[in-house]
Amino acid sequence: MLPPNEKEIHTVYKIVFFDIDGTLVNEEKQVPASTIIAIQQLKRQGIEPVIATGRAPYFIKPLAEQLGIDSYVCLNGGYAVYRGEPLYRRIIAKSSIEALVKLAAKHKHSLVFEGEHNYFTDTDNDHPFVVGSISSLKVDLPAYDPDFWKTNDIYQIFLHIEDTDEHLYEELQSEFKLIRWHQHAIDVLPAGGSKAQGIAALLELVGLKPEDAVAFGDGLNDMEMLSYVGFGIAMGNSHKDLLPYADHVTTHVDEDGIRNGLITAGLL
């Protein structure tokens, strides 16, 4: 008898998608040694490791190089690259951004616009919510350019608000999907957007099916991804609301969570 939510392993998986924060890296943004070794073992077996993250591509390069990974799904499914070659882009409509900009200005909330190669804020980057949320990722703060979105493709936006203000944006729910990732920050995606979209595009390109894939995640933006693949694994440190979407719950990121999950999936 399998535990609740546990799925029996029936296949040999061919590709594995890994979230970053809380999955590949811990709270100090360090990769556990067991994770590095496990990914090396995957690669030796011919199994493709792919990063699947809410982060933009310019935030993941050091980690990708450290792990020897050149395929990734970034910006919560908005931008996908396979072995160094971009293959999928999902941008936000200018009309939708304009509506969000007007509403955020009305409520004096800060936005950060994420493009393919860089990102900018519409307020000073010493705004406490901007500093607090983005510094938690241990990346450089955005420069100031409130009009960046007008002349560049935007894949994702950070909306800096507390949870008590989320109701102020209900009028835009038909155009956007909002996912909280920090106490002062929300990812803003096109309605229906998710990591699963970018993963689906990548799998189609390489001729694989969802059931050929495994995915690891820990956050609210991993729900669709874990549901979409053949075997979805939640980290032991996951947000409690993610657990119902997982086929298996592994140990904490700092307790060999990746290695143990891969063992359960029959890949190590």
Side-chain angles (χ1 to χ4, degrees):
M1 183 100 174
L2 292 171
N5 276 19
E6 294 287 321
K7 180 187 289 185
E8 188 175 353
I9 307 300
H10 290 293
T11 186
V12 176
Y13 301 108
K14 300 177 176 66
I15 191 168
V16 184
F17 295 90
F18 297 96
D19 171 56
I20 292 181
D21 298 287
T23 301
L24 284 177
V25 304
N26 57 24
E27 288 189 7
E28 288 71 44
K29 307 307 177 188
Q30 299 298 313
V31 186
S34 63
T35 295
I36 296 174
I37 295 170
I39 289 177
Q40 291 172 343
Q41 291 176 309
L42 278 185
K43 293 172 68 177
R44 283 197 293 269
Q45 296 177 66
I47 298 168
E48 187 96 33
V50 182
I51 290 172
T53 180
R55 290 181 178 233
Y58 32 91
F59 294 148
I60 72 167
K61 288 183 179 179
L63 176 65
E65 291 173 357
Q66 177 187 6
L67 296 175
I69 296 176
D70 58 3
S71 298
Y72 44 89
V73 175
C74 290
L75 296 159
N76 280 312
Y79 184 79
V81 168
Y82 183 68
R83 296 184 178 177
E85 296 297 324
L87 62 92
Y88 175 76
R89 291 176 171 88
R90 180 201 67 210
I91 63 174
I92 303 176
K94 299 293 186 194
S95 58
S96 297
I97 299 176
E98 183 176 11
L100 176 63
V101 167
K102 289 180 178 178
L103 190 56
K106 174 183 176 181
H107 297 298
K108 296 181 173 55
H109 291 148
S110 177
L111 299 172
V112 172
F113 308 104
E114 294 188 273
E116 183 173 342
H117 301 292
N118 45 32
Y119 77 141
F120 292 88
T121 179
D122 65 351
T123 57
D124 294 336
N125 66 10
D126 61 356
H127 187 291
F129 286 8
V130 174
V131 173
S133 62
I134 294 179
S135 294
S136 73
L137 301 175
K138 299 191 183 301
V139 297
D140 293 335
L141 293 173
Y144 172 73
D145 184 355
D147 295 325
F148 177 68
W149 65 273
K150 295 180 180 179
T151 55
N152 292 270
D153 288 339
I154 302 301
Y155 296 82
Q156 182 170 265
I157 300 169
F158 293 157
L159 170 61
H160 291 89
I161 59 172
E162 296 181 287
D163 56 5
T164 52
D165 286 333
E166 287 187 31
H167 70 280
L168 299 173
Y169 293 86
E170 289 179 355
E171 65 186 82
L172 297 180
Q173 62 184 356
S174 64
E175 297 183 64
F176 291 113
K177 178 178 182 178
L178 307 181
I179 308 172
R180 182 165 293 279
W181 61 273
H182 186 273
Q183 63 176 336
H184 293 143
I186 286 176
D187 286 334
V188 181
L189 321 178
S194 72
K195 290 182 183 182
Q197 285 185 330
I199 288 173
L202 189 150
L203 291 177
E204 182 177 4
L205 177 78
V206 302
L208 294 177
K209 299 177 181 179
E211 51 264 37
D212 296 322
V214 172
F216 286 78
D218 74 300
L220 298 178
N221 61 339
D222 295 316
M223 292 176 176
E224 295 88 353
M225 175 175 75
L226 297 196
S227 298
Y228 179 71
V229 299
F231 195 63
I233 301 176
M235 302 300 290
N237 48 280
S238 294
H239 191 292
K240 62 180 178 61
D241 291 343
L242 177 67
L243 301 183
Y245 296 84
D247 299 308
H248 172 72
V249 180
T250 185
T251 50
H252 191 284
V253 59
D254 281 323
E255 297 172 351
D256 302 332
I258 295 295
R259 177 180 179 274
N260 290 334
L262 290 171
I263 289 172
T264 298
L267 295 174
L268 293 182

